[in-house]
Amino acid sequence: MKVNFFKSLCVASLTVSVIGCSTFNAPKETVAASDKTAIQVDSRFQAYSAESFMANKGSVKEIKNINHYVRGLMHQLADNIKYVNQNTPIAVMSFVLLDSDLQKTTLVGNQIAESFVHEVHKFGLPVLDYKTTDFFRISEDGDFIFSRDYMELRTDLPIDYVLTGTLTKHQKGYLVNARIIGIKSKAVVASAQGLVPDYAIKSLQNTKNNDGIPLRRG
């Protein structure tokens, strides 16, 4: 009787051990699979974080240039933009001096426009560069396809909206008022405001070495 009880106890113990082992091993496989997935996701996240960290590290270490502030203005425009989409081409015009007859600009105004060409394109909207001619010149000074002579430029471009704005000299830099305007309706469909600090302005240099203010004509 004691022997039978001992055998039964051993069988029961062996059964529990087998069940315990199978129960214990299954989660190990599940955990291993989960760990593998987690490692893959984590490695992607770390790679992305490292790239973002290096980009931020570089931007903090270096002095921010005018493109940085134009990027901030573009974020503002994107936050309140209306009607503009991938089927509505945009042209980017020079930013003009507010205290002028609105027919004068500076190297600052033109560089802001150039920076916006990149930002609008990166945002995913079609940008038309109306200063591109239908021909190119090759000379000892270089190879050229841009022009500011309106007689050399096309007038039939399908431009629906323009991005432009005004500049006001401030004791700490330039106040920038940017807007996107419908060509036909003249309606403002997006707007932004910001300050470009003086150090970012002074870092620009033009052909006259005059603090980047007047442009050489002709």
Side-chain angles (χ1 to χ4, degrees), residues 111-164:
Q111 180 53 52
I112 288 176
E114 288 295 317
S115 299
F116 264 119
V117 170
H118 169 69
E119 293 299 330
V120 174
H121 174 72
K122 190 171 69 172
F123 185 65
L125 299 177
V127 185
L128 298 183
D129 196 333
Y130 52 88
K131 294 188 294 294
T132 303
T133 65
D134 292 331
F135 56 89
F136 52 87
R137 296 185 182 90
I138 299 176
S139 68
E140 295 180 354
D141 296 326
D143 310 325
F144 309 99
I145 197 170
F146 294 131
S147 177
R148 290 189 183 277
D149 184 351
Y150 73 94
M151 295 294 292
E152 298 179 343
L153 303 177
R154 293 177 55 182
T155 58
D156 59 344
L157 295 175
I159 299 174
D160 295 325
Y161 294 92
V162 294
L163 193 161
T164 187

Side-chain angles (χ1 to χ4, degrees), residues 36-105:
K36 186 176 180 181
T37 305
I39 289 172
Q40 291 176 349
V41 174
D42 188 56
S43 63
R44 294 176 187 173
F45 177 76
Q46 286 180 355
Y48 173 79
S49 298
E51 184 179 354
S52 301
F53 174 75
M54 292 303 296
N56 292 332
K57 183 179 179 181
S59 63
V60 171
K61 190 174 182 179
E62 298 174 3
I63 296 177
K64 296 181 176 66
N65 59 33
I66 197 168
N67 297 329
H68 170 82
Y69 298 98
V70 171
R71 191 172 304 117
L73 290 168
M74 186 63 212
H75 282 301
Q76 287 189 48
L77 291 173
D79 284 341
N80 63 82
I81 195 169
K82 296 179 180 178
Y83 309 118
V84 181
N85 55 54
Q86 294 181 345
N87 299 317
T88 53
I90 295 178
V92 182
M93 306 288 180
S94 300
F95 280 60
V96 298
L97 298 172
L98 185 60
D99 56 350
S100 70
D101 59 357
L102 303 183
Q103 299 297 309
K104 294 180 181 179
T105 190

